[in-house]
Amino acid sequence: MNKLLIHACCAPCLVEVYDVLLKEQQSLNISEMDIIWYNKNIHPKVEYDKRKKAYIEYVKSLDKTPYLIDEYDLMSFTKIASSIEDTEYTSRCDYCYISRLEKVFIYAKENGYTHVTTTLLISPYQNHDLIISVLLRLEKKYNIKFLYKDFRPLFREGQRKSRELGLYMQKYCGCIYSIDEGRWQGI
Ligand code: SF4
């Protein structure tokens, strides 16, 4: 029995990813599909809470349980991100992707999921190749399949639907640095 765990980075990115996976569930041979939130990269707290609330409300509207690992930790994130050259990570985003997705893989392992994917794969503003390489490493480490799909062609449609649904639309990637760098998600 194949069980898929979808890591949701935010509600707007989840909209199209979930719709597509739901449509393809049978052909992908997935018998069960759940969604989880784990995004400790989002700062400040007020922004974290807004995105989390949008995620919970949207997943409930799908008649699904909004699973979450609720962790807000500005201090540890910035401590590592600000001294990345002293760590094993190649960049701040490498650390950000690994730390979030690794926890999702651990959750998947502990709860009997066979496959993992992430809504990060829909955004043309994320480092797609880096996300893939992180997921391939985690796939090997945890012996859980990484379900890959290039969702990027669906990004604009997802944004359009999200606006229509009145979902909260963030204006920057997530971390405190991305506000400063103006790393917008093109919304
Ligand atoms: S820019 Fe985005 S992906 Fe990179 S560290 Fe910040 S929140 Fe994470």
Side-chain angles (χ1 to χ4, degrees), residues 42-59:
I42 301 165
H43 306 119
K45 181 71 163 57
V46 66
E47 178 72 16
Y48 176 88
D49 287 338
K50 274 186 199 165
R51 296 192 200 183
K52 187 178 80 177
K53 184 168 177 274
Y55 161 76
I56 292 170
E57 286 173 1
Y58 183 63
V59 175

Side-chain angles (χ1 to χ4, degrees), residues 52-82:
K52 187 178 80 177
K53 184 168 177 274
Y55 161 76
I56 292 170
E57 286 173 1
Y58 183 63
V59 175
K60 280 187 178 168
S61 79
L62 299 170
D63 278 330
K64 301 281 298 175
T65 304
Y67 291 107
L68 53 113
I69 304 169
D70 197 5
E71 185 182 306
Y72 177 81
D73 189 356
L74 175 64
M75 297 314 277
S76 76
F77 186 91
T78 49
K79 194 174 167 201
I80 296 173
S82 63

